[in-house]
Amino acid sequence: MSTYTHGHHEAVLRSHRWRTAENSAAYLLPHLDAAQRLLDVGAGPGTITLDLAGRVAQVTATEIGETEVELSRQAAASQGATNVDFRVEDVHALSIENDAYDVVHAHQVLQHVADPVQALREMKRVTTPGGIVAVRDSDYAGFVWWPESTELTEWLRLYRDAARANGGEPDAGRRLVSWARAAGFADITATSSTWCFADPEDRAWWGSMWADRFTDSAVARQLVDSGDATTADLARVADGWRSWAAAEDGWFSVLHGEVLARA
């Protein structure tokens, strides 16, 4: 498993808890039914997981460690969800029997793992014949924004360098079809979708979240410790995010690749 570049700082969880099945897994929803068993790989704080649990019979949520899986366990307990169980798993080598799930889902996971093709092979192995593996990942090189900003350009370069230093691939979205084919899938449906942050409230939320990430989270510590940036550099990038958020014509689009692959 690669190092998780973002870490679990409050600013990171603020972003992850915003995610729902509707804004992050819409491509999968038409394929779900109330009889299915679903494996959610890399569940994080569990907001998508719990939305999916409301649409299927049973969900298993996995994370790489006990601390991480506890986030989704607490969310399920707070909502009284009774059809979700939790496991610590490495997606490269799942301790799950063959053909165990009708649907396997992973949101923003493959960009962080050391071997995404092996991860997909494992996801395929634990999916019933004819079942669905659904993966969605962002593609940082496809992010676009306005107004132009030297600070946001620097942010993008620094983040992509940090992710690759950790063994990940920040431009994963465009590679999902290739990875799925290499993992042995033949029946693949590929789509894309975006998050767009343009109204004042959305800009304020997105901009402040990234400003905080780039001064206080794991990626900020990594960049300073590696010598790739100074604290002054990161403060300048954070100010750039705040300036972008304050711009009346500010606009930011986050590109995602999506794949539905039949086992």
Side-chain angles (χ1 to χ4, degrees), residues 1-211:
M1 190 73 175
S2 300
T3 299
Y4 182 52
T5 302
H6 297 293
H8 296 88
H9 184 269
E10 181 277 331
V12 177
L13 296 178
R14 190 191 320 161
S15 170
H16 292 181
R17 288 181 173 126
W18 167 84
R19 299 171 183 172
T20 65
E22 288 80 7
N23 67 30
S24 300
Y27 72 109
L28 172 61
L29 298 186
H31 303 275
L32 300 181
D33 66 57
Q36 291 168 326
R37 299 158 297 164
L38 185 147
L39 177 67
D40 193 22
V41 176
T47 51
I48 300 174
T49 310
L50 294 174
D51 278 352
L52 295 174
R55 292 169 165 84
V56 300
Q58 180 69 32
V59 172
T60 298
T62 79
E63 262 295 350
I64 195 61
E66 286 289 350
T67 300
E68 292 82 1
V69 83
E70 184 63 21
L71 294 169
S72 52
R73 184 183 284 115
Q74 289 176 1
S78 70
Q79 293 192 24
T82 59
N83 65 332
V84 186
D85 61 272
F86 307 90
R87 300 175 66 135
V88 173
E89 293 282 352
D90 179 351
V91 70
H92 296 103
L94 296 168
S95 62
I96 296 170
E97 64 274 16
N98 295 350
D99 308 336
Y101 294 92
D102 305 296
V103 180
V104 178
H105 167 262
H107 184 262
Q108 311 282 42
V109 171
L110 294 184
Q111 65 185 279
H112 298 294
V113 303
D115 190 341
V117 174
Q118 174 59 19
L120 282 163
R121 289 192 189 106
E122 279 292 275
M123 294 165 75
K124 182 175 184 286
R125 179 184 64 78
V126 304
T127 305
T128 57
I132 293 172
V133 173
V135 291
R136 183 176 192 256
D137 270 273
S138 54
D139 194 305
Y140 278 76
F143 291 8
V144 291
W145 58 82
W146 185 262
E148 294 180 356
S149 166
T150 57
E151 291 82 10
L152 266 63
T153 299
E154 184 177 8
W155 158 79
L156 183 60
R157 178 187 64 80
L158 288 169
Y159 176 79
R160 292 170 79 211
D161 288 350
R164 289 188 172 126
N166 288 333
E169 176 45 71
D171 304 340
R174 69 189 67 191
R175 292 169 166 81
L176 294 181
V177 173
S178 174
W179 289 342
R181 290 197 179 281
F185 290 96
D187 185 351
I188 299 169
T189 300
T191 55
S192 67
S193 62
T194 62
W195 295 331
C196 185
F197 302 95
D199 67 34
E201 182 178 356
D202 286 348
R203 289 199 312 271
W205 179 79
W206 184 248
S208 66
M209 180 270 295
W210 270 111

Side-chain angles (χ1 to χ4, degrees), residues 202-221:
D202 286 348
R203 289 199 312 271
W205 179 79
W206 184 248
S208 66
M209 180 270 295
W210 270 111
D212 290 349
R213 282 203 205 189
F214 246 57
T215 52
D216 295 319
S217 73
V219 68
R221 292 190 297 274

